């Protein structure tokens, strides 16, 4: 008895006005939905089920009554079947949706895994190439920067492939794109170690000499900016080359909260472990490496997330440096070893016993190699504006080197300190290669001065360019990169993307040309004579 009553209730629900068709379509409903009823009724009977041909007072016969009952039951059964089909189709759709979601999740995971492997392979090749070139140049006693030679080789290969097999050049660029984005994303971090260990680098420098160095750095930045900018404007007015749109530059992804929490967990766990097991990883430098590296990365990630107004006076690199120094101070305090030994663990300059700073600075060679891909991508722009770019870079590089030597001599700065700050406007990786060509130079001071120059440029370059009335994007980009290298480039390009290609080109070419002229013995001797 339960089944008929359930069927009746469900039929009554489905026969409600919401589910029934309109009256004028009732005949169509009977004929098309229930073809078996056509054997028992005429078309008139279909439209008037209770009216017989014999007259209006004639009651339905038992057979006709039973047939209408059958029709009613058939109708109810039909709607039940429709309902069960709908339920079955809903289940199929839900199963398909669940399968699609599962497939989509698996596909996303596989893409992430593939992307990570792609990054590791492409970045690993660049790092391995840099390491191989360094060893080869040391074995051959060649003083020319090995990474710079590698950059020329990569750039030449790309040009040859582009002229012979363009698809191969495009494929090579695409293959190394993840590594280039990684380097671009973390580029400021590779400059930080020199600032972190600055207390060790300047502890033996007299205060008067430190003040003179600050004067040269600040005044030299402004002078280099002015010379490069006005040189570019002058040449541009002579050649009158119209600007073209540069190639689009890919941007690295922003930092996520997962990265912050992951590095925070690494910092806390490794900091506590290093306190209780100072030589747990073999040496104190290796044991301190995880938490010192994590503190540096955390400082940078947090610094990049600060409001733009705060970052004008508190650059992410400053935040990064303070974070690493505070971590070193805290460990020195709790372990009762003091700050200086921990800073010594941060940058050991020993390949067999590296610290966090050695790991970060190990990427500097890959930064130089990446210049080849940046220049190749903007090769049309370089060719079109070669006169402005090369003239400005050459003039500003020579001016920067010789003006630093001359001012150092005029204000009475010690010769070894003056030599150490000669490449103040050249990116750290190449600046360290340049000072290695001079005897008695303080490489830690060199790196610190270069980073401080970049910080000055990053904070004040846009306002100073406006005051100097340098409005042209080419002049602004070249002047910024020629005076404040990578940090100034990052600061300006974030607000003026149209100047980014010229920043990137001048940033690379300034270091390249500075390294080339300092590799010439006559130039080195003339600089030493002035000093």
């Amino acid at each position: 008895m339960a089944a008929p009553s359930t069927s009746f209730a469900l039929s009554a629900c489905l026969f409600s006005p919401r589910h029934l068709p309109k009256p004028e379509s009732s005949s169509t409903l009977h004929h098309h939905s229930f073809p078996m009823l056509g054997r028992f009724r005429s078309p008139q009977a279909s439209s008037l089920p209770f009216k017989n041909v014999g007259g209006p007072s004639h009651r339905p016969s038992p057979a006709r009554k039973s047939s209408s009952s059958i029709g009613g039951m058939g109708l109810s059964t039909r709607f039940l079947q429709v309902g069960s089909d709908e339920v079955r189709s809903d289940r199929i759709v839900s199963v398909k949706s669940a399968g699609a979601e599962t497939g989509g999740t698996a596909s996303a995971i596989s893409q992430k895994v593939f992307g990570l492997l792609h990054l590791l392979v492409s970045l690993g090749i660049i790092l391995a190439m840099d390491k191989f070139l360094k060893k080869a140049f040391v074995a051959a006693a060649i003083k020319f920067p090995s990474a710079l030679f590698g950059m020329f080789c990569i750039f030449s290969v790309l040009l040859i492939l582009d002229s012979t097999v363009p698809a191969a050049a495009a494929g090579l660029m695409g293959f190394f794109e993840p590594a280039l984005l990684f380097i671009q994303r973390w580029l400021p971090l590779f400059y930080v170690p020199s600032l972190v260990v600055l207390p060790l680098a300047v502890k033996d420098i007299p205060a008067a000499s430190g003040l003179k160095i600050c004067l040269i750095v600040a005044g030299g930045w402004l002078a280099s900016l002015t010379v490069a900018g006005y040189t570019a404007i002058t040449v541009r007015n002579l050649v009158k080359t119209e600007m073209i749109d540069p190639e689009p530059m890919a941007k690295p992804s922003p930092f996520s909260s997962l990265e912050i929490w992951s590095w925070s967990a690494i910092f806390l766990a490794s900091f506590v472990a290093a306190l209780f097991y100072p030589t747990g990883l073999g040496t104190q430098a290796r044991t301190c490496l995880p938490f010192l590296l994590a503190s540096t990365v955390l400082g940078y990630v947090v610094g990049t997330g600060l409001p733009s107004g705060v970052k004008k006076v508190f650059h992410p690199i400053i935040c990064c440096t303070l974070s690493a120094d505070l971590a070193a101070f805290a460990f020195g305090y709790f372990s009762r070893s003091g700050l200086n030994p921990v800073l010594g663990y941060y940058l050991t300059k020993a390949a067999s016993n590296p610290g966090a700073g050695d790991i970060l600075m190990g990427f500097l060679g890959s930064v130089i190699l990446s210049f080849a891909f940046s220049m190749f991508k903007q090769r049309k722009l370089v060719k079109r504006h070669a006169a402005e770019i090369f003239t400005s870079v050459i003039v500003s590089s020579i001016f920067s080197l010789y003006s630093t030597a001359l001012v150092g001599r005029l204000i009475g700065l010690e010769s070894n300190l003056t030599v150490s700050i000669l490449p103040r406007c050249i990116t750290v990786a190449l600046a360290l290669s340049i000072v290695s060509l001079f005897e008695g130079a303080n490489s830690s001071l060199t790196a610190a001065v270069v980073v401080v120059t970049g910080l000055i440029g990053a904070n004040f370059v846009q306002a100073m360019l406006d005051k100097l009335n340098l409005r042209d994007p080419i002049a602004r980009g070249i002047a910024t990169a020629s005076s404040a290298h990578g940090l100034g480039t990052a600061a300006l390009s974030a607000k003026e993307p149209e100047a980014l290609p010229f920043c990137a080109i001048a940033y690379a070419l300034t270091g390249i040309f500075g390294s080339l002229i300092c590799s010439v013995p006559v130039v080195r001797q003339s600089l030493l004579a002035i000093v």
Side-chain angles (χ1 to χ4, degrees):
M1 296 297 293
S5 61
T6 305
S7 174
F8 177 81
L10 192 56
S11 298
C13 177
L14 292 172
F15 277 142
S16 64
R18 292 176 300 172
H19 299 284
L20 280 176
K22 293 182 180 179
E24 61 265 24
S25 62
S26 60
S27 62
T28 307
L29 175 69
H30 282 285
H31 280 291
H32 293 280
S33 299
F34 314 104
M36 293 297 294
L37 296 179
R39 298 179 184 179
F40 302 101
R41 301 183 190 179
S42 64
Q44 292 83 359
S46 298
S47 60
L48 299 171
F50 297 104
K51 185 174 182 179
N52 201 344
V53 180
S57 61
H58 183 59
R59 295 181 179 179
S61 65
R64 188 66 60 89
K65 185 176 181 179
S66 64
S67 71
S68 76
S69 299
I70 292 171
M73 289 300 294
L75 188 63
S76 173
T77 306
R78 177 65 181 170
F79 270 105
L80 279 174
Q81 289 173 350
V82 171
S84 61
D85 287 344
E86 290 175 353
V87 171
R88 188 158 48 247
S89 64
D90 288 343
R91 289 177 180 172
I92 293 172
V93 169
S94 63
V95 170
K96 288 182 178 179
S97 300
E101 290 177 1
T102 305
T105 304
S107 176
I109 293 174
S110 63
Q111 286 179 357
K112 288 183 178 180
V113 172
F114 178 78
L116 180 60
L117 290 175
H118 190 180
L119 169 63
L120 292 175
V121 173
S122 58
L123 185 61
I125 291 174
I126 292 178
L127 292 172
M129 186 185 305
D130 176 47
K131 190 173 182 179
F132 170 78
L133 288 172
K134 282 181 181 176
K135 287 185 176 180
F137 273 55
V138 169
I142 300 174
K143 288 191 174 183
F144 187 81
S146 59
L148 196 58
F149 173 79
M151 188 215 70
F152 282 125
C153 291
I154 295 173
F155 185 66
S156 301
V157 169
L158 288 171
L159 287 178
I160 294 171
L161 288 177
D162 186 57
S163 60
T164 55
V165 190
L172 200 61
M173 289 288 294
F175 176 77
F176 284 105
E177 186 72 17
L180 302 178
L181 287 176
F182 176 88
I183 292 170
Q184 182 184 348
R185 191 181 195 224
W186 297 104
L187 182 62
L189 270 186
F190 309 146
Y191 299 148
V192 167
S194 305
L195 283 180
V196 174
V197 299
L198 187 60
L200 297 180
V202 301
K203 66 179 181 179
D204 296 327
I205 297 176
S209 299
L211 186 60
K212 293 174 183 177
I213 291 173
C214 292
L215 179 63
I216 293 174
V217 169
W221 166 76
L222 180 58
S224 297
L225 179 78
T226 305
V227 169
Y230 282 113
T231 302
I233 286 289
T234 303
V235 177
R236 185 154 165 69
N237 290 334
L238 291 174
V239 297
K240 299 181 189 255
T241 307
E242 293 183 4
M243 285 188 62
I244 60 172
D245 292 332
E247 292 294 322
M249 304 287 286
K251 293 185 178 180
S253 59
F255 298 108
S256 64
S257 56
L258 177 62
E259 289 177 293
I260 296 177
W261 287 110
S262 300
W263 282 108
S264 299
I266 293 171
F267 171 77
L268 291 174
S270 56
F271 187 91
V272 173
L275 281 177
F276 288 98
Y277 304 100
T279 57
L281 297 179
T283 64
Q284 288 184 310
R286 290 178 187 168
T287 307
C288 292
L289 189 155
F291 80 82
L292 288 175
L293 180 62
S295 65
T296 309
V297 174
L298 276 174
Y300 176 63
V301 173
V302 171
T304 56
L306 295 174
S308 57
V310 176
K311 285 192 286 190
K312 288 182 179 179
V313 295
F314 194 68
H315 196 274
I317 281 195
I318 298 176
C319 182
C320 182
T321 303
L322 290 178
S323 175
D325 281 331
L326 285 174
F329 176 80
F331 186 81
Y333 176 79
F334 288 113
S335 65
R336 298 181 180 178
S337 60
L339 175 63
N340 288 349
V342 182
L343 291 180
Y345 304 150
Y346 187 89
L347 189 64
T348 64
K349 298 182 181 180
S352 58
N353 186 32
D358 299 284
I359 298 296
L360 293 175
M361 293 189 75
F363 285 92
L364 290 176
S366 63
V367 172
I368 299 171
L369 294 178
S370 70
F371 289 166
F373 298 95
S374 301
M375 291 198 315
F376 176 76
K377 196 166 188 178
Q378 302 296 342
R379 62 196 180 279
K380 294 179 182 177
L381 205 66
V382 174
K383 185 178 179 179
R384 185 176 182 84
H385 299 283
E388 303 101 293
I389 294 170
F390 284 97
T391 304
S392 303
V393 165
I394 292 172
V395 170
S396 64
S397 298
I398 294 174
F399 172 80
S400 173
L401 289 168
Y402 280 93
S403 64
T404 303
L406 182 60
V407 174
R409 174 71 176 271
L410 291 176
I411 64 176
L413 185 63
E414 291 88 337
S415 59
N416 64 321
L417 298 180
T418 304
V419 168
S420 300
I421 66 173
L422 283 178
R424 56 180 174 79
C425 292
I426 295 173
T427 185
V428 171
L430 289 172
L432 294 177
S433 299
I434 290 172
V435 295
S436 67
L437 302 173
F438 296 90
E439 297 290 338
N442 185 338
S443 59
S444 297
L445 177 62
T446 301
V449 164
V450 169
V451 177
V452 170
T453 302
L455 284 174
I456 295 173
N459 286 290
F460 303 108
V461 67
Q462 200 168 25
M464 192 54 62
L465 287 171
D466 293 339
K467 289 203 176 282
L468 293 172
N469 201 29
L470 294 172
R471 307 292 180 186
D472 190 278
I474 296 178
R476 292 174 76 89
I478 293 174
T480 299
S482 299
S483 62
H485 45 81
L487 295 181
T489 294
L492 183 69
S493 60
K495 300 173 184 177
E496 302 179 20
E498 67 276 7
L500 175 59
F502 303 101
C503 282
I505 294 165
Y507 167 44
L509 292 178
T510 299
I512 292 167
F513 186 75
S515 301
L516 289 174
I517 62 174
C518 286
S519 299
V520 179
V522 175
V523 174
R524 289 202 305 273
Q525 291 169 6
S526 63
L527 288 169
L528 288 173
I530 295 173
V531 168

